[in-house]
């Protein structure tokens, strides 16, 4: 046992720990060390054929780790949806467990009960696409390079590390400092690894369209800048026979096509330009599939019941703007969003109102009184959560569905008057007789349609909301610099929320351009809830900390909640097949699908 200088206060780094094949945030991995394949794949899926994906946007770089390509890098290089095709991570996440990782580049890992360190033992078979072995030096090189020239979150990971040491040619140990938490070893395990011998550190922070050397199952074979990127499967992929990879990476060729808008994307799908279309529009799902390929059976549609939290989609207040500083104003505008009218008139009643950032899951605080652990977390902040949210009796107001509910308007006006506003001459004015006016920035036609409905509701109280729909590049640039009054955003959620909540809601991220703190939140109660969540030791404590966090976010009225779907919808060409049976916990998994027309 040796004391690591600068390490986690009072912790001793164990000289040795038993190597394990997988790690879980809470409890133990579900699969044993000798598992044959992941339970949600077809281990005998045929190899060959191709698939074309379609996405909205563009790209100017195949280097996804740097600030300059933060929003515009090529999809698929490192990708949670299509798979990490070129660069691989130390461990791979199971899609069927809340937060469990199994070895990939790292064959085994070692850690202690306090999670004061983690050691990665590389698979001796791991190879780069040029045949060179993956080594401990590559891990150390990558971590230092991303620290110096990478983008968040890659650039900040070593800030939680007291010591990084090479144990052998195939082993690296990270000892953590007092800034670490119980989730961080898992986050670190999802770090990509780059080849030291084939990476120019001097120019790494520059955008490039030159394909790099990776350890993943595919190579980039063709690039059409901003329009298309093509990947070719490697015959010599080192991990193709590992249990973690059986039934995955089935296509010989993967093409990602880019489109300027969702409308153009769907029209291209109808014409057969690409093969798989995840559909997030209730209106489109119910009305948009009357084209010949559907009638002929060439396109099939599938619905999957969701097993994961809803997330939060809504109108996001930029609380950095004076007009939205007062929580009473934000609460009043929340009352004026008429979900009942919009759901019936615009979406054929396809949606469910969202009442929580973790709606439809056991992590949601909605309708549940706070338990003792939640109250302990929130006790230092007695003003942070109103009594009705703490007791679980709070609910979003429901209108009469007319689009002009006078009762709702009176309640909202009362709050606005308490905040210093008055109606005069049909306009809502503040104490200085300035009109209540702001701009909503939207990204597409779907957002604009909902925004117009909201605009009409606000106008009934003399509130002037202008709507400006901008192109993707401008939307991303202005979002990164917080150059907006209000935007529409979707905050995804999982059954294992953790460190990703810091750049979304943490006080330190409020003024950090490029963070995801779109609301400008800066609350000690939020910070405390996130800290409790990251350091929870049991599943019960974790659930309580997430619920406490949920209550604080709801109390701040940072977002006007809109709605969510209870199902996931996807349409695809009939030659594309998915494993039989129920999908994994996190939903259908595209890397496990295959082309039935592939020749053996």
């Amino acid at each position: 046992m040796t004391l690591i200088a600068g390490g986690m206060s009072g912790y001793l780094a164990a000289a040795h720990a038993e190597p394990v094949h997988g790690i879980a945030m809470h409890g133990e991995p579900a699969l044993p060390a000798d598992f044959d394949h992941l339970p949600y794949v077809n281990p005998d899926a045929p190899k060959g054929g191709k698939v074309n994906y379609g996405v909205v946007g563009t790209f100017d770089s195949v280097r996804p780790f740097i600030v300059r390509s933060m929003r515009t890098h090529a999809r698929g290089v490192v990708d949670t949806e299509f798979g990490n095709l070129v660069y691989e991570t130390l461990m791979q996440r199971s899609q069927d467990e809340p937060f469990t990782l199994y070895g990939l580049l790292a064959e085994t890992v070692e850690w202690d009960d306090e999670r004061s360190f983690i050691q990665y033992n590389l698979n001796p078979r791991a190879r780069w696409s040029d045949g060179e072995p993956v080594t401990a030096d590559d891990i150390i090189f990558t971590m230092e390079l991303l620290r110096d020239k990478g983008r968040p979150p890659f650039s900040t990971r070593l800030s939680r590390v007291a010591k990084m040491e090479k144990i052998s040619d195939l082993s690296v140990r990270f000892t953590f400092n007092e800034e670490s938490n119980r989730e961080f070893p898992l986050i670190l395990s999802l770090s990509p690894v780059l080849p030291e011998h084939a990476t120019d550190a001097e120019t790494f922070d520059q955008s490039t369209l030159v394909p790099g050397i990776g350890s993943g199952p595919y190579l980039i074979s063709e690039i059409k800048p901003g329009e298309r990127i093509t990947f070719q499967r490697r015959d010599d992929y080192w991990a193709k026979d590992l249990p973690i990879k059986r039934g995955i990476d089935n296509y010989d060729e993967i093409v990602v096509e880019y489109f300027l808008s969702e409308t153009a994307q769907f029209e291209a799908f109808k014409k057969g330009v690409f093969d798989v279309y995840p559909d997030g529009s209730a209106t489109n799902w119910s009305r948009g599939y009357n084209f010949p390929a559907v009638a002929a059976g060439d396109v099939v549609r599938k619905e999957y019941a969701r097993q994961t939290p809803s997330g939060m989609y809504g109108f996001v207040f930029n609380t950095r703007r004076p007009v939205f500083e007062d929580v009473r104003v934000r609460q009043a505008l929340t009352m004026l969003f008429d979900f009942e009218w919009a759901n019936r008139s615009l979406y054929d009643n396809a949606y469910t109102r969202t009442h929580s950032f973790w709606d439809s899951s056991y992590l949601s605080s909605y309708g549940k009184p706070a338990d003792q652990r939640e109250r302990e977390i929130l006790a230092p902040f007695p003003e942070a959560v109103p009594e009705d949210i703490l007791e679980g009796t709070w609910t979003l107001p429901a209108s009469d569905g007319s689009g002009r509910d006078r009762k709702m308007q009176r309640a909202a006006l009362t709050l606005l008057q308490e905040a210093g506003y008055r109606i005069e001459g049909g306009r809502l004015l503040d104490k200085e007789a300035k009109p209540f006016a702001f701009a909503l920035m939207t990204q597409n036609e779907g957002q604009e349609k909902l925004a117009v409905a909201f605009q009409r509701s606000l106008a009934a109280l003399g509130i002037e909301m202008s709507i400006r729909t901008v192109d993707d590049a401008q939307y991303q640039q202005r979002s990164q610099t917080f150059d907006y009054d209000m935007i529409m955003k979707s905050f995804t959620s999982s059954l294992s929320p953790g460190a990703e909540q810091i750049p979304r809601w943490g006080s330190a991220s409020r003024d950090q351009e490029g963070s995801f703190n779109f609301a400008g939140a800066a609350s000690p109660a939020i910070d405390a809830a996130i800290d409790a969540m990251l350091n929870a030791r049991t599943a019960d404590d974790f659930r309580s900390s997430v619920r406490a966090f949920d209550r604080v976010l709801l109390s701040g009225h940072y977002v006007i909640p809109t709605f969510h779907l209870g199902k996931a919808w996807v349409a695809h060409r009939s030659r594309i097949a998915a494993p039989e049976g129920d999908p994994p916990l996190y939903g259908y998994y595209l890397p496990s699908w295959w082309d039935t027309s592939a020749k053996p």
Side-chain angles (χ1 to χ4, degrees):
M1 304 277 281
T2 55
L3 184 62
I4 302 298
M8 192 175 293
S9 178
Y11 285 170
L12 294 177
H16 178 73
E18 287 298 320
V20 293
H21 72 292
I23 55 178
M25 182 64 194
H26 301 106
E28 298 295 326
L31 301 179
D34 61 349
F35 75 93
D36 181 72
H37 63 275
L38 294 167
Y40 47 86
V41 307
N42 174 7
D44 300 316
K47 304 290 185 182
K50 67 178 292 187
V51 68
N52 284 40
Y53 295 123
V55 298
V56 175
T58 185
F59 69 94
D60 61 7
S61 178
V62 293
R63 188 171 287 162
F65 313 110
I66 61 174
V67 173
R68 292 192 180 188
S69 59
M70 191 168 179
R71 304 287 184 181
T72 58
H73 67 266
R75 292 287 306 274
V77 176
V78 172
D79 201 292
T80 56
E81 185 177 9
F82 303 149
N84 295 335
L85 304 182
V86 176
Y87 297 107
E88 294 185 304
T89 51
L90 289 161
M91 306 188 79
Q92 180 169 311
R93 187 169 189 163
S94 168
Q95 299 297 308
D96 210 31
E97 301 172 59
F99 198 4
T100 296
L101 309 179
Y102 295 96
L104 183 54
L105 284 173
E107 184 176 36
T108 62
V109 299
E110 303 170 32
W111 65 351
D112 61 348
D113 289 340
E114 296 297 334
R115 302 187 185 181
S116 66
F117 77 93
I118 191 167
Q119 179 172 314
Y120 300 103
N121 304 313
L122 288 169
N123 192 315
R125 291 178 287 176
R127 292 291 184 275
W128 301 108
S129 58
D130 62 359
E132 291 295 312
V134 181
T135 68
D137 290 326
D138 291 319
I139 298 177
I140 293 172
F141 167 78
T142 300
M143 293 297 178
E144 292 178 340
L145 180 64
L146 294 179
R147 175 197 62 196
D148 297 338
K149 296 197 172 184
R151 65 168 175 86
F154 306 113
S155 61
T156 60
R157 287 183 178 165
L158 283 186
S159 66
R160 299 176 185 268
V161 175
K163 188 175 184 180
M164 177 172 59
E165 55 186 324
K166 178 179 175 179
I167 304 301
S168 71
D169 287 344
L170 295 177
S171 296
V172 177
R173 176 175 290 198
F174 294 84
T175 304
F176 305 123
N177 60 30
E178 64 279 355
E179 297 298 319
S180 187
N181 53 61
R182 293 188 63 77
E183 186 196 42
F184 183 66
L186 285 84
I187 298 299
L188 188 68
S189 301
L190 291 173
S191 297
V193 181
L194 307 174
E196 181 177 17
H197 71 280
T199 304
D200 185 349
E202 290 299 316
T203 61
F204 183 75
D205 55 356
Q206 304 298 311
S207 296
T208 181
L209 290 173
V210 178
I213 298 294
S215 64
Y218 288 82
L219 297 172
I220 295 175
S221 59
E222 183 182 12
I223 295 173
K224 191 168 183 181
E227 297 181 25
R228 181 184 306 110
I229 181 168
T230 303
F231 300 88
Q232 208 71 34
R233 189 157 58 91
R234 293 172 50 192
D235 292 331
D236 60 347
Y237 175 47
W238 71 275
K240 60 184 177 182
D241 295 321
L242 291 184
I244 194 72
K245 281 292 190 173
R246 287 194 66 190
I248 297 176
D249 310 319
N250 300 315
Y251 305 106
D252 281 348
E253 182 177 276
I254 296 176
V255 179
V256 183
E257 303 272 359
Y258 287 76
F259 302 94
L260 294 178
S261 68
E262 291 181 358
T263 299
Q265 180 192 23
F266 187 62
E267 289 301 315
F269 175 70
K270 289 164 63 175
K271 295 174 183 177
V273 175
F274 64 96
D275 301 315
V276 181
Y277 185 74
D279 198 330
S281 168
T283 303
N284 195 62
W285 188 251
S286 63
R287 305 177 186 176
Y289 289 84
N290 57 351
F291 52 94
V294 176
D298 296 329
V299 166
V300 297
R301 302 197 298 159
K302 292 183 180 178
E303 293 186 351
Y304 296 93
R306 291 189 182 276
Q307 304 179 66
T308 51
S310 64
M312 177 65 73
Y313 173 61
F315 300 90
V316 183
F317 297 101
N318 185 354
T319 62
R320 303 171 186 85
R321 297 286 203 259
V323 69
F324 293 137
E325 284 180 341
D326 194 318
V327 68
R328 293 170 296 185
V329 171
R330 305 197 296 270
Q331 186 177 0
L333 267 62
T334 299
M335 290 181 173
L336 293 174
F337 172 66
D338 194 334
F339 164 75
E340 288 71 24
W341 181 89
N343 195 33
R344 186 191 73 249
S345 303
L346 303 179
Y347 306 115
D348 300 324
N349 286 319
Y351 289 107
T352 299
R353 188 75 193 268
T354 304
H355 286 87
S356 161
F357 285 77
W358 283 270
D359 218 336
S360 304
S361 81
Y362 65 88
L363 296 178
S364 170
S365 67
Y366 180 63
K368 307 177 185 78
D371 61 26
Q372 184 58 38
R373 176 57 183 146
E374 290 180 69
R375 293 176 185 274
E376 290 173 0
I377 294 169
L378 298 172
F381 318 99
E383 305 300 320
V385 179
E387 192 65 22
D388 57 347
I389 292 182
L390 196 65
E391 292 297 331
T393 59
W394 168 87
T395 189
L396 285 165
S399 78
D400 60 13
S402 67
R404 51 182 183 279
D405 189 323
R406 297 298 178 85
K407 181 180 178 181
M408 205 72 68
Q409 291 173 356
R410 284 194 296 270
L413 181 58
T414 297
L415 282 171
L416 291 167
Q417 288 172 333
E418 291 175 3
Y421 288 91
R422 69 183 189 277
I423 292 181
E424 186 175 301
R427 306 174 78 189
L428 191 68
L429 307 179
D430 66 12
K431 295 175 182 178
E432 283 75 41
K434 292 175 56 178
F436 190 145
F438 66 95
L440 169 65
M441 183 173 69
T442 55
Q443 192 175 13
N444 53 53
E445 296 171 4
Q447 290 184 355
E448 188 175 338
K449 179 170 69 172
L450 186 60
V452 169
F454 187 37
Q455 182 186 51
R456 187 186 65 175
S457 296
L458 296 178
L461 283 190
I463 298 172
E464 302 172 18
M465 183 184 83
S466 60
I467 302 170
R468 185 180 180 191
T469 300
V470 300
D471 62 33
D472 184 70
Q474 185 177 169
Y475 188 88
Q476 299 298 350
Q477 191 276 329
R478 291 181 62 182
S479 295
Q480 289 182 71
T481 57
F482 315 125
D483 182 19
Y484 51 83
D485 298 329
M486 177 184 281
I487 54 174
M488 298 180 72
K489 281 288 183 182
S490 180
F491 296 88
T492 57
S493 59
S494 74
L495 293 171
S496 60
E500 80 284 351
Q501 302 300 324
I502 297 174
R504 289 186 186 184
W505 301 104
S507 298
S509 67
R510 173 186 168 91
D511 299 317
Q512 184 181 57
E513 289 191 359
S515 78
F516 303 104
N517 194 339
F518 301 113
S523 161
I526 288 178
D527 296 338
I530 293 176
D531 184 67
M533 186 169 61
L534 293 176
N535 288 290
R537 287 176 172 264
T538 69
D540 286 345
D541 277 355
F542 180 70
R543 181 196 61 224
S544 296
S545 63
V546 177
R547 288 182 181 176
F549 182 38
D550 191 30
R551 295 182 203 276
V552 177
L553 293 181
L554 293 171
S555 301
H557 295 281
Y558 299 106
V559 180
I560 299 176
T562 55
F563 41 67
H564 65 274
L565 293 168
K567 297 180 179 179
W569 297 322
V570 60
H572 60 81
R573 303 290 151 190
S574 58
R575 65 178 178 82
I576 302 297
E580 294 182 0
D582 294 331
L585 181 65
Y586 280 97
Y588 62 85
Y589 184 55
L590 292 179
S592 69
W593 292 19
W594 66 89
D595 184 351
T596 60
S597 68
K599 298 294 189 292

